[in-house]
Structure formats: C-alpha cells, structure tokens
Amino acid sequence: MTAQKLPENLHRDTLAVRVGIERSQYGENSEALYLTSSFVQPDAETARKRFANEEDGYTYTRVGNPTVTGMELRLAALEGTEAAIATASGMAAILLLGMGLLRSGDHVVCSQSVFGSTLRLFAGEFAKFGVETTFVSQTDVAQWRAALRPNTKLLFAETPTNPLTDICDIAALAAVAHSGGALLAVDNCFCTPALQRPITLGADFVIHSGTKYLDGQGRVMAGAICCSQKYVNDVFWPINRTVGMVLSPFNAWVVTKGMETLAIRMRAQCDGALALAQWLQAQPNVAHVYYPGLASHPQHELAMRQQSNLGGAVVSFDVRAADAAQARRRAFHVIDSTLVCSVTTNLGDTKTTIAHPATTSHGRLSEDQRQAAGIGQGLIRLAVGLEHLDDLKADLMRGLQQLDTLQ
Ligand SMILES: *Cc1c(COP(=O)(O)O)cnc(C)c1O
C-alpha cells in the first residue's frame, strides 16, 4: 500500500482530510484501521525480499503498519516536511531524536523552560550515557550562542512554553545552531502546524506530542518526529523498529482522524483563549495575564509573526494576593469553584482544563527554582477548549468574585 495520487499544490485544509494511504479493495471512505501485529506474506521468496529490504511490503507492525504510515504522511503534509516517523508518545519522539543524533561526548543546548519530562530526559537520562546539556534562557538568543561548544550537536526548543507562554525566535535559533554546525529541533506541541511550521523557519526537526492538539480530544497517547526522508529512513526508522517505541495502529487512526479537524479546532480554541485573556485582564482579582495574543505580552510581535497571528489556546493568570500562602489559597479556591472546567494538567482537549502549575506540573521544583521560573503560588493555567465562552467566564467568575470575602 502506498501514498495515494493527489493533485499537486493542494491547500493544507485539503491535505488534512485527504492525505493518507491508498484505499483498500473495499473502497472505504474513512481511513481503514489495520489492527494487526503481523502481515501474511504471499510466498516465501517475497517474505525473504521484504525482510532483506529488497522490496517494500509490510511484515510486522513494529517495523511498519499502513495505518501508522497514513498518520505519518498526513502529519508530514501539514508540517511541510518530507517525512515523519510516529512514536508511542511525545516523550518517545524526543528519546528517539536523542538516540538518533547523539552519542557519548556530545553536547546539547536546551531551553530551561521546556516541558518537565523533557528537562529530566536531557538532564538525567541522556547524562547517564555521557551526553551533557546546557540549559539556557528561553528568550535570550545570546545565551544560546554563548553556550555553543565544538561538540554541540543539537539545540532543543519549545515555543510557547508551559505555563507562562514565553516565545523563542525559531529563525534566530536555527541560525545559531547552523553557525555552530549543530541542528535545531523544535517541540511544536502547543502551536501545531495549524499555527506554526518550524521547518519553514529553518528548524531541522519538529517534535510532536500527538496526545495533545493533534488528537485534540484527549483520547490517546502519540508522538512523532517530522523531518527529511533521509533522516527517517537512515537514522530514526532503523532505531525505532529495533527498540519498539512505535505507535499503536489504533492510536495512529485516532490521531489521523483528529488531524482532519485540527485547523478549525485550533482557530476556535485560539479565538476563545484570546477573548478569555482579554476578559481576565479586566478582572479586579486578576493581577497578571500571560497570553501571547495580548499586546502586553513581552514577545507579542514575535508571536504574531511566528504563529500565524494567533496566540494559541493556553492562557495563564495570577490571582491577586498579598503573599504566597494567600495566593495558593485563592488559586485553589478559583480552581475548586469551577463546575465546567476539568481540573487536570493535560491540555490540547476540546474540554477546557484548569491547573495549578506550582503544585502539579512544576511541583517537583524547589521554591527557588519555581521563583526563578516565574511560577508563583497564585498562578492558574487554562487550556481553552470548545465550550461556550459565557459558560467559561461564569465558571471562573464564581471563584474570582468570592476572593474578597476569603481570608
Ligand atoms: C505533553 C508534552 C510532551 C510529552 O508528550 P507525551 O505524549 O505526554 O509523551 C512533550 N512536549 C510538550 C510541550 C508537551 O506538552
């Protein structure tokens, strides 16, 4: 089974619903789900050729599966890369990236504000194998440049960051990486290709957690690396077929169907997030709102340029408080007063989620580290879904308006 023949120069909205694998002999309109661990070979000689890589053809799902291939083709089409390789989760994609590009003695430069598990992967797991990582400011390009060493192989960035939505300049980081003979990987989980395509800005690899907006409905774990065909064929696929961090065909099918509505979901969720951010800014019990779509955001102009004029669907805000203890009590009160929002740290769902980063996603940091990262006890993160805005405002208002009568 191969990629279908589609006309050239189709728009991305069309690619999102049309790119995949050829229909089977049954002519199904919705993509088929090949939920099988192995594939029957027509004869022994064909099996020999397929196992020797002399002929294309599926043999075993750890090595390849048509439903997974369909998801990879669709995601690559949206990101504008030649190819993509799917993995069992977003973290598996970053591990595969490191296994493919790094060896003992190599050096990595990474933003200090990346996803918590990514920090631990570079600082802990890769360090065990002799790969050293320097963590630098998300927004200060000079720090990235100064951290380069002769053995620097990889720069790793994520933008916007969670939960404060700091933006890094992808094109500037690509220039820094290439000037030092290194490669740039960008985790595009928060923006997705609907808003931001790092490859067009000079990045070499795009990382995805398909668990978030690509699925978009909070159902499955998935991940991917999007890059050149050569890197997929020569570097990542040989490793992944051996180590087995492969995506299940069922999960690939769910994400494939999720991508069909990605662009309209992202636009609606970004519009909702902007409206909510503006509303929050006007609330007397809100001290500060962090959202790239607001003119008050320190990298507002860069964000608008880099993210198709959209701010993303994640909004964070500080409740007004006199000290850290009161801030935590007040933030907890706002969170616990919601009846619509889901109290969970996940994001990228059609259901709005609300979280207290200081005691959940960033709970393992010391108070000093948290202060340095700017994550206070009064901070609340919202990942805006598709509910009606008035219902979301009322849900937040319930707790916010009671803060004056609270201790
Ligand atoms: C969730 C997330 C990951 C990890 O993805 P999983 O699918 O949970 O393994 C990586 N990067 C970012 C920015 C994330 O939000």
Side-chain angles (χ1 to χ4, degrees):
M1 207 152 313
T2 51
Q4 335 115 291
K5 288 188 184 55
L6 287 169
E8 305 261 315
N9 300 323
L10 291 174
H11 295 83
R12 264 185 304 138
D13 289 346
T14 308
L15 298 175
V17 296
R18 290 289 172 181
V19 170
I21 47 164
E22 278 182 355
R23 292 196 172 97
S24 80
Q25 70 272 35
Y26 300 116
E28 66 281 351
N29 190 36
S30 174
E31 291 72 5
L33 166 50
Y34 292 93
L35 203 54
T36 181
S37 48
S38 77
F39 298 83
V40 176
Q41 305 302 304
D43 51 64
E45 174 58 13
T46 307
R48 182 197 68 75
K49 284 186 186 155
R50 288 179 180 176
F51 276 83
N53 279 338
E54 289 170 17
E55 178 184 300
D56 284 343
Y58 292 101
T59 56
Y60 188 58
T61 282
R62 175 156 43 74
V63 181
N65 175 287
T67 309
V68 177
T69 302
M71 178 270 191
E72 292 167 338
L73 290 169
R74 187 167 290 180
L75 180 57
L78 295 187
E79 279 292 355
T81 55
E82 280 175 13
I85 181 162
T87 55
S89 67
M91 290 318 301
I94 304 174
L95 177 56
L96 181 61
L97 180 84
M99 289 181 79
L101 301 182
L102 305 170
R103 59 183 59 234
S104 178
D106 285 347
H107 175 247
V108 176
V109 183
C110 181
S111 163
Q112 66 198 8
S113 312
V114 293
F115 186 64
S117 297
T118 308
L119 274 178
R120 283 189 290 278
L121 180 61
F122 281 107
E125 306 309 321
F126 285 155
K128 284 199 294 205
F129 294 94
V131 172
E132 202 187 330
T133 301
T134 304
F135 295 97
V136 294
S137 151
Q138 169 80 358
T139 52
D140 183 357
V141 179
Q143 278 195 32
W144 293 74
R145 196 176 299 114
L148 286 181
R149 300 180 191 167
N151 60 339
T152 305
K153 291 285 159 52
L154 177 68
L155 272 60
F156 191 97
E158 174 188 318
T159 181
T161 59
N162 177 29
L164 296 178
T165 72
D166 289 330
I167 310 285
C168 68
D169 186 333
I170 296 172
L173 294 186
V176 170
H178 299 153
S179 76
L183 298 166
L184 174 66
V186 176
D187 184 331
N188 201 24
C189 173
F190 271 54
C191 276
T192 83
L195 271 62
Q196 167 174 287
R197 291 194 307 294
I199 288 291
T200 64
L201 300 167
D204 302 284
F205 306 98
V206 182
I207 300 294
H208 271 288
S209 167
T211 316
K212 312 293 170 51
Y213 294 101
L214 299 185
D215 167 16
Q217 286 142 89
R219 299 166 295 192
V220 298
M221 308 287 304
I225 306 172
C226 304
C227 58
S228 68
Q229 190 74 58
K230 192 168 163 49
Y231 265 106
V232 169
N233 290 359
D234 299 351
V235 178
F236 300 125
W237 178 71
I239 297 172
N240 212 26
R241 61 174 285 178
T242 303
V243 304
M245 301 185 289
V246 296
L247 184 60
S248 117
F250 180 80
N251 291 8
W253 182 82
V254 171
V255 173
T256 296
K257 301 308 283 180
M259 281 189 278
E260 295 185 356
T261 54
L262 176 68
I264 57 169
R265 278 189 283 107
M266 286 306 288
R267 175 158 285 280
Q269 291 177 231
C270 290
D271 289 349
L274 175 62
L276 214 52
Q278 288 165 338
W279 176 82
L280 282 165
Q281 247 183 345
Q283 299 310 309
N285 280 323
V286 171
H288 191 77
V289 182
Y290 306 83
Y291 185 66
L294 295 177
S296 59
H297 189 284
Q299 296 99 36
H300 172 65
E301 275 164 32
L302 170 62
M304 293 301 98
R305 199 163 7 105
Q306 196 163 265
Q307 301 178 187
S308 313
N309 239 3
L310 292 169
V314 174
V315 182
S316 295
F317 63 98
D318 285 315
V319 296
R320 198 174 292 288
D323 55 49
Q326 189 190 47
R328 182 191 286 199
R329 272 198 310 279
R330 289 182 159 209
F332 277 20
H333 181 77
V334 172
I335 292 169
D336 291 340
S337 300
T338 61
L339 298 171
V340 175
C341 295
S342 307
V343 183
T344 170
T345 55
N346 194 28
L347 62 103
D349 201 316
T350 48
K351 294 178 171 66
T352 297
T353 65
I354 189 165
H356 186 250
T359 53
T360 57
S361 54
H362 295 71
R364 284 197 258 178
L365 300 183
S366 70
E367 192 54 39
D368 283 352
Q369 286 173 316
R370 252 197 310 274
Q371 296 275 330
I375 296 164
Q377 294 292 338
L379 186 73
I380 293 175
R381 190 203 71 187
L382 292 167
V384 179
L386 288 178
E387 299 92 342
H388 196 285
L389 258 179
D390 292 347
D391 295 335
L392 292 178
K393 289 178 187 169
D395 215 35
L396 295 168
M397 196 52 155
R398 203 171 298 118
L400 280 173
Q401 70 186 5
Q402 290 166 352
L403 292 187
D404 298 324
T405 58
L406 208 71
Q407 267 280 292

